[in-house]
Amino acid sequence: MTSQSTPAPQGPRVSVVIPAYNAARSIGRAIASVQAQTEQDFEIIVVNDCSTDDTVAVVSGLAAKDGRIRLVSQEKNGGPSRARNRGFTEARGTWLAILDADDAYKPDRLERLTKLAETESLDMIADDITYYDSEADVEFGDQRLAPGFNRIDLAGFLRASMFRPPLHDFSGRDVFQYALLKFVFRRSFIAEHKLAYPESLRDSEDFFFYSECLLAGGRAGLTSEPGYVYTQRMGKISKRQSALTRTKVNRMQVVTGVDLLFSRHAQRLSPVHRRLLRERRAQAIGLNAHERARDLVHQRQVVIALLELAKTRPAWAFSVHLLLRRRKDWLAKLGGKA
């Protein structure tokens, strides 16, 4: 009698990885948005990053009611990159999706993105973002990505990951960084190329990871239909700090991330890639100085603020852009009163 080996159980279509640190107030909303997906063949992997609040209790309660939810805990706090990497190692799905604990998905996001990625033979795909002001409980956002579906390479991603418009643009428009997008990845691609989030970074980690995926030959695409709901740190409508988000911004981590890309991939970066990375690095330094100067002005230390701007030349471009944006807002209000 010939014995036959039992085939390995097939994993779910999508593994949703949710890093969580002190997210008791928001994690239920994030998980509920996955449970409400039109694509129901998923697993939710919540990676508890040593929370000190009731995150574990909240997730454990939800997991007791839904077997697709799995809670894993880190032995020590390692930040979002390490938590995501842990989730990737635990995942069994064909596709990997990241969801931050203070964010949410639109109901058809996973079905729409995975089907489009398979139709277009992609390794990674992202959609436009809807912003959420948690203090005003309002979602809003204009279309920022080019209409429809478009492929993107590393050069295009880098061009769209700057912190301000070009110097010749006097429109006062805001920029939308592609580094803010949340890609869905083909798990076999990530595993084949041994790709991982940079655990030394706690800010700008998405930009670094996406860049490495594209450098590894990842076939990437974008669709303009928004499906990811991003909670703002400072609400545009309420003008108040969100009580939900744990996001911390460190502009100098952008510099560290760019330097790490240069050191790891010196031979693989084209002259165009190098130029764009240097520009992102310079802009991060300028924005850091501009934000310090702005804070000093709020503290009525105007002279010190001007000195801060004077010693960091790229900072002036951000100050000029701020004035242009305020002029644009003022003209819009003036037109509304006419």
Side-chain angles (χ1 to χ4, degrees), residues 296-332:
L296 287 167
V297 169
H298 290 162
Q299 298 167 21
R300 301 181 184 278
Q301 300 183 54
V302 178
V303 174
I304 300 176
L306 290 173
L307 291 172
E308 184 71 38
L309 292 175
K311 70 181 183 182
T312 313
R313 188 167 60 90
W316 285 99
F318 287 95
S319 299
V320 170
H321 179 60
L322 176 64
L323 293 174
L324 289 171
R325 199 164 68 236
R326 287 183 173 175
R327 175 179 177 273
K328 179 182 177 182
D329 292 344
W330 178 76
L331 289 174

Side-chain angles (χ1 to χ4, degrees), residues 272-291:
V272 171
H273 298 153
R274 291 172 178 273
R275 176 179 60 80
L276 292 169
L277 284 169
R278 284 193 292 267
E279 176 64 16
R280 177 174 167 84
R281 188 183 194 279
Q283 286 196 12
I285 292 172
L287 180 57
N288 189 60
H290 164 76
E291 290 174 339

